[in-house]
Amino acid sequence: MSKSEHGAAVDRGNRPLSPHLQVYRPQITSVLSIFHRVTGVGNSIGAVLIAWWFIAAATGREAFAIIDGLLTSWIGHLILIGFAFSLCYHLCNGIRHLLWDAGYGFELDEATMSGYIMLIAAGILAVCLILIGALS
Amino acid sequence: MSADMRTSRAKVRGLGSAKSGTEHFISQRISAIGLVFLTPFFIVPFVVALGQPWGEVISIYKSPMNAIIAALFLLAVFHHLKLGLQTVIEDYVHSPAWRTGSLLAVNLVATGLGFAAAFSVAMIAFSV
């Protein structure tokens, strides 16, 4: 039981509270939005690795060898490939969010379409990035 | 009659009861726009430098353009991720102690690492 604005008890029953994520059917728009957050947190971890790499490079050969050894190991390659996809996703979807902020593309069909375009663009960019890294 | 003693003008003055918030939102977008342009120019030389020997990495970041873009990118990225992680913490961490602690940690670590990384790029660029 909770109280109404005037202090009277109101039986809110057993109704679900909004917005409970698990009662919604996953949709492309909501799933992409959640992954924007997930990739944002993931990219933060990647940024720490990048910072470590630069600080180590400035410190000297020995310090650099540690982070270089980590990133060039198989687990390091796995992290970097994941980071490339995460970064490209967040960048492309971020542009989509900025366009919304500017007032464009709010219609449901537009938001769905831009979501698929963004996914394809992010995938292509990530593969290009990985290829540049692998071939250089 | 409303029980609220505040006038309409008093309610809309300043930034409302939250006192802040818009500058966080705006700062997040400004850093996002900056990063849209900085990321491609940072990431290509960086990916090329990754895995190279130390001496090669140093010579790549001795180039003023690579160094300036890398330093700007690092400052912008750590500012942007600080604001982003702050939003995530405010949404999901409810216990006051954990909330304050994690917000403090994110703020200090992001500010410190961003500065340290950008400073390191400068050290590489200015080293002889």
Side-chain angles (χ1 to χ4, degrees):
Chain A
M1 292 272 192
S2 55
K3 297 276 178 74
S4 79
E5 205 185 326
H6 309 289
V10 175
D11 184 4
R12 294 198 174 277
N14 211 13
R15 286 175 296 149
L17 300 161
S18 175
H20 267 183
L21 226 50
Q22 61 270 33
V23 305
Y24 287 108
R25 181 173 57 85
Q27 296 160 59
I28 178 80
T29 43
S30 63
V31 171
L32 294 182
S33 170
I34 291 161
F35 267 94
H36 195 67
R37 231 171 218 214
V38 173
T39 53
V41 175
N43 290 345
S44 305
I45 300 166
V48 172
L49 286 176
I50 294 180
W52 179 5
W53 189 84
F54 274 111
I55 294 165
T59 305
R61 243 175 243 281
E62 297 77 20
F64 185 73
I66 298 167
I67 179 71
D68 187 55
L70 173 69
L71 293 180
T72 52
S73 67
W74 69 268
I75 190 142
H77 282 146
L78 220 59
I79 292 169
L80 289 172
I81 289 168
F83 186 26
F85 278 102
S86 176
L87 182 73
C88 294
Y89 179 98
H90 200 83
L91 178 64
C92 292
N93 202 40
I95 294 170
R96 189 162 160 254
H97 272 275
L98 286 172
L99 289 173
W100 282 331
D101 290 338
Y104 301 104
F106 271 121
E107 293 302 323
L108 210 52
D109 57 335
E110 292 171 338
T112 304
M113 180 55 76
S114 67
Y116 286 116
I117 294 170
M118 177 279 290
L119 272 181
I120 294 166
I124 292 171
L125 280 181
V127 170
C128 290
L129 205 56
I130 293 163
L131 284 176
I132 294 172
L135 299 175
S136 63
Chain B
M1 213 184 102
S2 169
D4 196 336
M5 301 294 280
R6 299 179 70 211
T7 63
S8 305
R9 174 162 167 77
K11 282 187 209 165
V12 297
R13 270 176 64 205
L15 294 158
S17 60
K19 303 287 182 281
S20 64
T22 45
E23 81 290 343
H24 184 284
F25 177 91
I26 291 165
S27 187
Q28 181 98 68
R29 313 297 131 158
I30 292 171
S31 54
I33 293 167
L35 284 167
V36 168
F37 295 101
L38 283 170
T39 305
F41 294 104
F42 165 76
I43 208 74
V44 173
F46 176 72
V47 163
V48 170
L50 264 182
Q52 304 273 355
W54 181 78
E56 191 59 38
V57 169
I58 297 299
S59 74
I60 288 172
Y61 284 100
K62 274 194 161 301
S63 143
M65 203 41 98
N66 285 344
I68 290 167
I69 287 170
L72 279 175
F73 173 84
L74 288 162
L75 290 174
V77 129
F78 275 94
H79 178 66
H80 188 77
L81 77 81
K82 182 182 79 185
L83 297 173
L85 290 178
Q86 185 191 334
T87 308
V88 172
I89 290 167
E90 285 169 349
D91 281 354
Y92 304 131
V93 182
H94 302 302
S95 134
W98 279 105
R99 193 184 166 94
T100 309
S102 51
L103 284 173
L104 187 65
V106 159
N107 207 313
L108 293 177
V109 171
T111 308
L113 266 186
F115 174 79
F119 191 83
S120 298
V121 174
M123 280 181 69
I124 295 168
F126 292 134
S127 65
V128 259

